[in-house]
Amino acid sequence: MMAALSDLRGQARQAWDASAHGSRPVIRVGTATCGRSAGSLDTLAAFREATAALGVDCFLVEVGCIGLCYAEPIVCVTKPSRPTILYGEVTPKRAREIVERYLVGEDPLPQYALGAMDGEPPPDIPLLWETPVFKRQVRRTLKNCGFIDPTSIQDYLAMDGYGGLARALEIGPERVIEELKRSGLRGRGGAGFPTWRKWSFCRQAPSDVKYIVCNADEGDPGAFMNRSLLEGDPHAVLEGMLIGGYALGAQTGYIYCRAEYPLALDRLRTAIAQAEELGLLGDNVLGSGFSFHIKIKEGAGAFVCGEETALIASIEGRRGMPRPRPPFPAIAGLWGKPTIINNVETLACVSLILRHGAEWFAQYGTAESKGTKTFALVGQVKRPGLIEVPLGITLREMIYEIGGGVLDDRPFKAVQTGGPSGGCIPADLLDTPVDYDSLKAAGSIMGSGGMVVMDDTTCMVDFARYFLDFTQKESCGECVPCRLGTRQMHEILTDLTEGRGRPGDIELLQQIAEGVARGSLCGLGQTAPNPVLTTIRCFRDEYEAHLREKSCPAGVCKPLFQYQIDEALCKGCRLCQKNCPVEAVVGELKGAHRIVVEKCIKCGACFEVCRTGAVIKVPNALVHAGP
């Protein structure tokens, strides 16, 4: 049994080495969703055309996302006897240039290179792992993403894939759970519950039928950790599910993935078929007597279905609505049977722990938060993308060292962690360690790993309103505190941003938020008030300005300001006039211009194009006050 798997991995490694270190160049093009949105399929086509036209015999491989979203499309080029070079912003024109000047010629084009991935880099090309964006990262879960072909089980086997499954079958279910306990792995879906304890409850539950479910219903706006992992390394997740099924005594697993992830779903189906063909999935896995089957359930995009009991209801064909707990799913879950639900990253970590050992996994992290964690670093940051860091790293290190700091060097204002249900952490808490307990103490949560950076142009009242709009619409309506409370909070926030705030609104908002957090049935309602509570606590002055002065300090809430032109600064260049979509700007060439308030729709076009700073935002309070 183990010899057969060892032979498969050995053959795959030989094939990998032959292609990676052979006489033919290897061109890896990132064609995950993020790459495709930046035009990587056109880049791929350009490489095909250029190599064919110039007679370059090469391997052209589609890979997943390496995480550098700001530099897409990304291409990795290995020329025989040369270091592997990663190139960014590879347009079709640059693709042809790389083929002509580097693969045919000897110019590695350092002006397009992000870094060399191995060997001795050419002049003017840094070693990639020493560049700021990678230096503080520790890539474990994401190690294969952007490097292997996600549609090839052979590539995964070449990277010692399914080695964790082989070890699990050797040591037995109890020792598998013990290994997870020693590793300190906590659920990467948000709650941070110890994985081993969850599995232990399910294993001990008396039932002949058990299930394991992979929660890939990634609903947080701006989050793409799970999607990228499924698109770039799907077998890592399948292996984790297999190990879980074996440890729990389950024979069936479900992957609950939102239908909005078509590429991830396609690659999962391919991976399942490949694993079944090699006997790694299905009846009598590797001749061990253990049988395990995986089914895919497509979700319809309901955010509440990220909650365990709502997800179970959806798989069963019912409306996705949470139910009271206990009993917990580990005791009575899918169709009333003991069920474990882990998110994508947790299961990928399981396969790594079984492959490399608990001590290896626990090398990084803190005493209570072991290992590494992936994050989607987005918002007003110079280098947005997918990163993987040791737990315990500070927010400042993530934003400024890895992310490059705030876009356009504007002042940092806050960072939201944990998605729509997360809290906003202000500048004076930038040195907060990123781990489960520290983020909770700061008034936020880890969540699945979304991280939104904000600068001084962000209105925190409007920010809270945006996320309350999201959670209010996504509320299933099952319980009164969430159904009515989120709506009431949203209405008050809307009033504040539109100049209709009344005395006592801030206190009422806080009171409702605390009530919703205490009284809601599931995690959606219990955490929905976080953006409100943290922004009131840390940015109360902005709430007061909206309420008492009817002004928005950040100049975001349109009903609270007007655009005006400072005649002393206006040069009469007509840029604002030409870009106004409603002809609200009047004036002669080289003469002072003005804005007709009755026509202005506050689109901001004039403000954005003005080169002299003549277009300004004036709070309504000052306009109404007069001269």
Side-chain angles (χ1 to χ4, degrees):
M1 173 178 65
M2 294 304 108
L5 181 56
S6 180
D7 288 344
L8 285 173
R9 293 208 305 270
Q11 293 166 11
R13 188 69 211 184
Q14 287 179 358
W16 174 274
D17 290 340
S19 64
H21 306 295
S23 59
R24 298 167 63 188
V26 181
I27 304 171
R28 297 181 176 90
V29 182
T31 59
T33 297
C34 50
R36 293 183 181 204
S37 66
S40 65
L41 293 181
D42 292 335
T43 298
L44 179 68
F47 271 113
R48 284 202 181 102
E49 293 169 4
T51 52
L54 296 171
V56 177
D57 185 17
C58 67
F59 292 102
L60 191 55
V61 185
E62 293 187 51
V63 297
C65 174
I66 200 169
L68 307 180
C69 299
Y70 67 95
E72 293 283 5
I74 289 175
V75 175
C76 181
V77 178
T78 304
K79 186 175 180 178
S81 304
R82 301 285 195 283
T84 297
I85 300 176
L86 194 71
Y87 294 97
E89 299 181 26
V90 183
T91 61
K93 181 180 177 181
R94 287 186 180 181
R96 290 186 284 269
E97 197 173 351
I98 289 170
V99 175
E100 293 169 1
R101 294 178 58 181
Y102 183 44
L103 295 185
V104 176
E106 291 296 328
D107 181 2
L109 297 168
Q111 64 269 34
Y112 304 148
L114 299 172
M117 301 180 72
D118 53 31
E120 187 67 31
D124 301 321
I125 297 181
L127 189 64
L128 187 68
W129 314 117
E130 293 299 319
T131 59
V133 70
F134 277 113
K135 195 169 186 179
R136 298 305 302 272
Q137 293 194 53
V138 177
R139 293 178 67 85
R140 288 183 159 184
T141 308
L142 300 178
K143 183 179 180 180
N144 290 338
C145 293
F147 197 59
I148 68 169
D149 179 355
T151 66
S152 169
I153 193 172
Q154 298 301 323
D155 276 16
Y156 184 68
L157 289 169
M159 299 295 113
D160 201 25
Y162 290 101
L165 172 63
R167 182 162 177 254
L169 294 174
E170 286 179 350
I171 65 177
E174 296 293 346
R175 287 185 60 191
V176 167
I177 295 176
E178 180 62 29
E179 192 80 1
L180 293 183
K181 181 179 180 180
R182 291 192 300 112
S183 74
L185 174 65
R186 296 172 66 171
R188 297 309 198 229
F193 194 79
T195 303
W196 75 270
R197 187 171 293 160
K198 202 173 184 180
W199 284 26
S200 183
F201 290 153
C202 185
R203 175 163 177 78
Q204 294 168 11
S207 178
D208 294 333
V209 177
K210 297 177 182 179
Y211 299 97
I212 182 168
V213 178
C214 171
N215 182 355
D217 190 60
E218 188 173 46
D220 295 4
F224 46 90
M225 301 77 60
N226 294 347
R227 188 201 73 209
S228 295
L229 190 55
L230 291 173
E231 291 177 353
D233 195 13
H235 284 283
V237 181
L238 301 190
E239 184 178 4
M241 292 188 72
L242 275 158
I243 294 168
Y246 176 67
L248 302 171
Q251 293 188 336
T252 303
Y254 283 86
I255 298 176
Y256 188 89
C257 183
R258 54 183 42 230
E260 294 95 330
Y261 285 178
L263 184 60
L265 286 163
D266 182 58
R267 290 187 171 168
L268 277 170
R269 292 187 182 100
T270 298
I272 289 171
Q274 291 173 340
E276 289 174 340
E277 186 177 351
L278 292 183
L280 295 164
L281 188 62
D283 294 329
N284 195 21
V285 173
L286 293 172
S288 64
F290 162 60
S291 297
F292 190 73
H293 299 265
I294 293 178
K295 301 178 182 179
I296 293 175
K297 169 67 176 180
E298 292 188 31
F303 181 65
V304 73
C305 285
E307 195 275 338
E308 289 187 342
T309 59
L311 184 153
I312 287 170
S314 181
I315 292 177
E316 292 176 345
R318 297 182 288 114
R319 182 181 175 189
M321 298 177 74
R323 63 161 173 77
R325 297 179 296 177
F328 291 92
I331 305 301
L334 194 59
W335 288 294
K337 303 298 182 181
T339 303
I340 285 298
I341 301 175
N342 288 129
N343 92 321
V344 169
E345 187 178 351
T346 306
L347 292 166
C349 286
V350 167
S351 61
L352 290 173
I353 291 167
L354 268 294
R355 192 182 312 165
H356 299 287
E359 290 75 17
W360 172 88
F361 182 82
Q363 285 176 344
Y364 294 97
T366 67
E368 300 300 325
S369 299
K370 299 290 188 185
T372 61
K373 176 77 183 76
T374 61
F375 291 91
L377 185 61
V378 298
Q380 299 300 313
V381 64
K382 291 181 181 178
R383 294 193 287 259
L386 183 66
I387 66 175
E388 183 175 1
V389 294
L391 287 170
I393 190 173
T394 66
L395 289 166
R396 185 185 304 275
E397 290 167 331
M398 291 176 66
I399 295 167
Y400 282 91
E401 295 185 29
I402 299 174
V406 181
L407 195 64
D408 298 326
D409 294 320
R410 298 194 69 92
F412 171 86
K413 191 168 194 176
V415 58
Q416 185 198 37
T417 67
S421 302
C424 297
I425 299 176
D428 59 352
L429 294 178
L430 258 179
D431 292 310
T432 299
V434 179
D435 60 63
Y436 294 95
D437 302 319
S438 298
L439 290 179
K440 184 178 179 181
S444 190
I445 58 175
M446 177 84 72
S448 59
M451 192 167 287
V452 183
V453 177
M454 292 165 271
D455 64 16
D456 62 335
T457 64
T458 303
C459 170
M460 303 312 294
V461 182
D462 183 65
F463 187 85
R465 182 205 59 78
Y466 171 83
F467 280 105
L468 256 295
D469 179 63
F470 177 85
T471 50
Q472 182 255 328
K473 289 175 179 174
E474 292 294 336
S475 173
C476 72
E478 172 75 3
C479 66
V480 172
C482 181
R483 182 176 72 242
L484 296 183
T486 54
R487 189 180 73 183
Q488 290 172 332
M489 285 189 289
H490 180 255
E491 287 176 352
I492 295 173
L493 288 165
T494 300
D495 284 345
L496 288 170
T497 58
E498 295 182 358
R500 298 190 301 271
R502 294 159 295 184
D505 270 359
I506 300 174
E507 292 74 19
L508 178 60
L509 188 60
Q510 191 166 4
Q511 184 181 0
I512 295 172
E514 291 169 350
V516 171
R518 287 195 305 268
S520 293
L521 176 62
C522 79
L524 186 152
Q526 292 162 9
T527 58
N530 281 344
V532 174
L533 292 171
T534 54
T535 52
I536 290 177
R537 183 173 69 246
C538 301
F539 302 95
R540 190 178 179 103
D541 58 329
E542 290 197 30
Y543 278 85
E544 296 285 357
H546 282 71
L547 177 65
R548 304 189 189 287
E549 302 169 15
K550 309 300 181 188
S551 68
C552 175
V556 171
C557 301
K558 292 182 180 181
L560 303 185
F561 69 86
Q562 292 182 13
Y563 284 109
Q564 291 185 0
I565 296 177
D566 187 334
E567 294 184 4
L569 296 176
C570 182
K571 303 299 182 182
C573 67
R574 282 191 169 176
L575 267 179
C576 57
Q577 195 176 57
K578 291 176 181 177
N579 284 274
C580 179
V582 292
E583 299 180 349
V585 181
V586 296
E588 300 298 324
L589 180 65
K590 296 184 180 181
H593 287 52
R594 66 182 181 86
I595 296 173
V596 180
V597 175
E598 293 76 16
K599 284 188 174 183
C600 180
I601 60 172
K602 300 181 184 179
C603 65
C606 57
F607 184 81
E608 292 171 4
V609 299
C610 182
R611 297 172 180 173
T612 64
V615 181
I616 56 176
K617 295 178 181 179
V618 180
N620 283 347
L622 295 181
V623 174
H624 296 154

